Amino acid sequence: MIRFIRRGAIVFALLVGLLAVAGLGWLAWARRQTAEAVAIRTPNGIDEERFVPINGAPQWITIRGDDRSKPVLLILHGGPGSPESYLLRYFRPLEHHYVVVQWDERGGGKTLARTGGDVDPNTDMATMVADGLAVSEYLRAHLRRDRIVIVGHSWGSILGAQMALARPDLFAALVGTGQTVGTTAMRQQWQYAQLLARARATGDAKGVAELRDQAGPPPWPDGSPRMMHMVHAAGPYLPPTLSYSQNVEAVLGAPHWSLGDVLALQRGMTGMLRTELWTREVRDADIGASDGAFAMPVIVIQGARDLTTPPEFARAWLDRIHAPAKAFVALPGQGHEVLSYDNAAFTRALDATLLPILNGAGPARSRSP
């Protein structure tokens, strides 16, 4: 998938960044700058970070927000194995309106570094769901809430749906972004058709040739030369995302991230792709294969230009499922990473859909670009 190749390149850039820094003095300065920029100074604010024992493993959780009385959002990151808790500056808009919980899941980020740095190949969906439910129970008790809101990104949208179906009593709403619907083969076929159409429409003869002759029609095995050609040809048509340098700056400047934590990012992103979770349960799973019945409102906020998880698939899935309230928002110009790339736009969409539901104003209406 495009997303994993790009994340792999980001990790390489992170390692280059580590070699390029002037020294520990620069790191200390960068971390002080970040801490100052994201400091929460409101009277009723909350800013906590700690390892929490979750099903026998210490797992990293941060809780931040300008007003601790606001709705609690549990962010389920993508990947699997790609936490975003180091992107402190980029999630600040969401923290003005909500209590935002970042959780480095088993097999990723600071949690992986703390638990030895090696991904357990037997990690499966049941383990991840159990962890997610335990984190949710912890948040309910710690923050004294009856229910919290799931915000699942990409892989996190799959995990979030499973958690919501397993324990509907824990959750006030389910929100998906980069909502993953369809098998890998289905999404690759869609990507190939989209990229060929865009290359032809712009007169990109080299792109058409690379897609047709070197990448060829899918399937594209993970990391294969054919997939690399597809990724290269897709370059001019990918929607905006955080740059390599922005990721480098963010992770090196994250106050609570050590160099060991940074190195664990790569091990997590690659190691989770060799687990039972990915090879047997997620890679070829289709969340839309059966019509689910959710006991809570379901919202999808999708980048209209998402080339990784097709907006059309997500909209069709939302139309099929049963839920007390549903809303779909397609954000113009945005892609798969809108949650981190344009957190302000995501926050506005969430305010317009989630808050009326939580405040009892009735179902929010679907919106498209």
Side-chain angles (χ1 to χ4, degrees), residues 188-200 211 237 306-307 310 312:
Q188 287 185 351
Q189 290 286 349
W190 181 88
Q191 289 166 354
Y192 189 63
Q194 289 285 315
L195 290 171
L196 270 179
R198 296 182 193 191
R200 286 167 175 160
L211 286 166
Y237 313 104
D306 191 335
L307 274 172
E312 294 94 323

Side-chain angles (χ1 to χ4, degrees), residues 94-317:
L94 201 59
E95 295 168 354
H96 294 319
H97 298 244
Y98 303 92
V99 175
V100 179
V101 179
Q102 296 275 5
W103 164 41
D104 287 19
E105 297 166 14
R106 185 184 299 264
K110 287 179 68 69
T111 294
L112 179 62
R114 183 64 174 263
T115 54
D118 294 320
V119 175
D120 181 356
N122 296 314
T123 302
D124 58 11
M125 180 66 78
T127 300
M128 302 302 288
V129 170
D131 281 358
L133 296 178
V135 169
S136 302
E137 290 278 25
Y138 166 78
L139 295 172
R140 289 176 73 207
H142 180 65
L143 299 174
R144 299 181 180 179
R145 302 299 179 89
D146 289 333
R147 297 185 179 187
I148 64 174
V149 176
I150 293 172
V151 178
H153 171 229
S154 195
W155 138 252
S157 70
I158 299 175
L159 176 59
Q162 295 300 312
M163 290 167 54
L165 290 170
R167 285 290 307 276
D169 58 301
L170 300 180
F171 307 111
L174 171 65
V175 180
T177 182
Q179 183 73 50
T180 303
V181 178
T183 64
T184 298
M186 292 166 62
R187 293 192 297 273
Q188 287 185 351
Q189 290 286 349
W190 181 88
Q191 289 166 354
Y192 189 63
Q194 289 285 315
L195 290 171
L196 270 179
R198 296 182 193 191
R200 286 167 175 160
T202 58
D204 180 5
K206 289 184 178 180
V208 170
E210 186 167 17
L211 286 166
R212 186 186 57 213
D213 302 329
Q214 295 174 288
W220 304 305
D222 291 343
S224 68
R226 292 178 59 216
M227 173 171 271
M228 298 305 294
H229 281 295
M230 181 276 295
V231 172
H232 181 263
Y237 313 104
L238 293 176
T241 187
L242 295 181
S243 68
Y244 300 157
S245 61
Q246 287 172 312
N247 273 274
V248 169
E249 182 181 6
V251 75
L252 294 180
H256 304 293
W257 276 66
S258 69
L259 297 184
D261 298 333
V262 175
L263 294 173
L265 278 174
Q266 182 183 30
R267 292 197 298 273
M269 282 186 275
T270 57
M272 287 299 286
L273 298 184
R274 295 190 291 267
T275 61
E276 291 285 313
L277 173 70
W278 179 254
T279 60
R280 294 183 181 273
E281 297 181 292
V282 174
R283 182 173 57 194
D284 296 316
D286 180 8
I287 192 176
S290 60
D291 296 342
F294 292 88
M296 71 291 296
V298 179
I299 297 167
V300 174
I301 301 174
Q302 204 85 344
R305 292 181 57 202
D306 191 335
L307 274 172
T308 302
T309 51
E312 294 94 323
F313 290 15
R315 180 60 183 265
W317 170 76

